[in-house]
Amino acid sequence: MKHVYIFLFAIALVSCERENLTNEKVKILDGIKKDAELSKLSAAIDRAGLRSALSGTQYTFFAPTDAAFTAAGIDPNAVEPTVLLRILQYHMIPSRVDSSRFGVEFGIFNGQTAGPNWLGQLTFQGFQTLNLGLNANIYCTNATQELPPVGSGNVVGRGVFFNGASIVGFDAFEGADGVVHKINAVLLPPPGNLADVVAADPDLSIFNKLILKASGTGALPNFATGVLLPLPADPLTAARTGTLTVLAPNNTAMNTAGVTEAFIDGATPAACLDIARRHVVSLRTFSSDFFNNSIRPTPTTTYNTLQTGKTVTFNSDANGVFFTNALTTRASVVSANIVATNGVLHKLSATIN
C-alpha cells in the first residue's frame, strides 16, 4: 500500500509540474513582441487592438516578418486600425496547426498522389481565417518532398506556402494559446470576387472594360457575373474546385498590345470575350503552385485557358516568372497572388495572345 501512495504522489508531482509549465508559457502575442524580426507585426497588433478581439482558446498565427512589411510597402502606424485588424485576423486560424501537420491532413493537390519517381505529394487545402467568413480563407500548398528522376540522387525541397507566401520559420514560437509560423509576405484578405478585384484596381481599368464588354447581352455568356463572380460550392474542403486563376494584363500591357479603350469600344462583345477567356485558367493556382508543378520529374506547366484550344505555359528564369505560348513571347508576372473569394489573380506585363 505504501508503494501505491508513493506512486500516486509521484503522479501528482508530475501533474503539478506540467500544470506550472503550462501556466508559465507565454501567449503567442507576447511571444511575437519578443522577436526582433517581428517588430512591425508587434506594432500592428497594438494599433489594431487585436488582443481584445480574440475570444478563442487556440490559434495559428502566420506572422509576416519586418522584411515582409517593408516589401509590401505597409507601415502599420499609417493604416487605419479597423483595416489593420482585418488584415491581422486574416493571418490567423482559430485552431492550432503545428508544422508536423503540414502535408498530413490536407487534400491531395490536383487529385494526384505519389508516383514511383517522387516522394510525397503536392497538397492543397483551405483554412477558414478568424472572423472573416467562409470565403476569406488562406490556402496551403505543400511540396516539401519531391524526388527528381531516378539516379539524380537529390531530393527537391520546396517547402510549405500559404497564399504563395513561404514559411520561413516553422513553429517560431509555441505559446499557451497556439503557435506562430513566420512568413515572408503580408497576406491581404480578399476584397470580393475576381470581378470585384479587377474593377477595384486602377491599373486594370482597361482589362475591366474588356470584361464588361465581353459580358455582352442576349445569347452571349455574361462573363463578369457568370464566370468571374460565382463562389466555390465548398470553399474549405474543395479548396480548388469551382475556382479560377486570372492572368490580368495591366494597362501598359493592354495598350502595348493594341487592346486600347478605343479598340474595345469598336470591338464586338464576342471578340472581347475571346480575349478575356484566354486570360483565365481553371482552378486556384498561386505562384508557388506553378513552380511546384514545374519541378516534377514530368513537368506539368501548360494550362488550358477558358478559350477553347488556347493554352499558356508557365516558365521561370533569372529575370523572374512568366507565361508564354505560340504567340506570346513573354508575359511576366509583375504582381502575384492577389486573392479573391473565388480564385486568385496575377498581374502580367503583356497580354496572352
Side-chain angles (χ1 to χ4, degrees), residues 198-233:
V198 173
D201 191 335
D203 194 33
L204 299 178
S205 61
I206 301 178
F207 187 64
N208 184 57
K209 185 179 181 74
L210 178 81
I211 288 171
L212 295 177
K213 186 68 175 283
S215 297
T217 56
L220 196 67
N222 191 314
F223 192 73
T225 60
V227 177
L228 299 185
L229 186 148
L231 296 173

Side-chain angles (χ1 to χ4, degrees), residues 13 56 95 107 197 236:
L13 284 177
S95 62
V197 170
L236 289 176

Side-chain angles (χ1 to χ4, degrees), residues 176-344:
D177 59 342
V179 61
V180 174
H181 307 292
K182 292 183 186 179
I183 58 175
N184 69 347
V186 177
L187 311 179
L188 298 178
N193 57 56
L194 286 163
D196 294 330
V197 170
V198 173
D201 191 335
D203 194 33
L204 299 178
S205 61
I206 301 178
F207 187 64
N208 184 57
K209 185 179 181 74
L210 178 81
I211 288 171
L212 295 177
K213 186 68 175 283
S215 297
T217 56
L220 196 67
N222 191 314
F223 192 73
T225 60
V227 177
L228 299 185
L229 186 148
L231 296 173
D234 191 340
L236 289 176
T237 58
R240 281 162 58 87
T241 303
T243 63
L244 300 170
T245 298
V246 174
L247 307 176
N250 60 20
N251 287 345
T252 300
M254 296 287 280
N255 283 321
T256 300
V259 188
T260 62
E261 292 193 13
F263 169 87
I264 295 170
D265 286 336
T268 65
C272 292
L273 182 61
D274 280 345
I275 298 172
R277 278 175 169 167
R278 62 177 179 255
H279 289 88
V280 182
V281 177
S282 293
L283 302 182
R284 184 193 313 266
T285 307
F286 293 97
S287 59
S288 55
D289 308 334
F290 286 124
F291 189 88
N292 286 338
N293 277 341
S294 72
I295 64 172
R296 287 184 179 279
T298 305
T300 310
T301 58
T302 297
Y303 301 85
N304 293 319
T305 70
L306 296 191
Q307 185 182 7
T308 303
K310 183 67 68 172
T311 62
V312 63
T313 299
F314 173 80
N315 293 276
S316 62
D317 59 19
N319 295 316
V321 297
F322 60 97
F323 293 89
T324 63
N325 62 19
L327 299 176
T328 304
T329 303
R330 185 185 186 103
S332 297
V333 176
V334 295
S335 183
N337 306 323
I338 302 169
V339 181
T341 53
N342 59 340
V344 63

Side-chain angles (χ1 to χ4, degrees), residues 32 42 65 71 73 82 103 116 128-129 131 168 180 217 228 233 256 278 290 316 329 353:
I32 287 172
S42 178
T65 62
T82 57
Q128 183 177 348
T129 56
N131 301 327
V168 295
V180 174
T217 56
L228 299 185
T256 300
R278 62 177 179 255
F290 286 124
S316 62
T329 303
N353 300 313

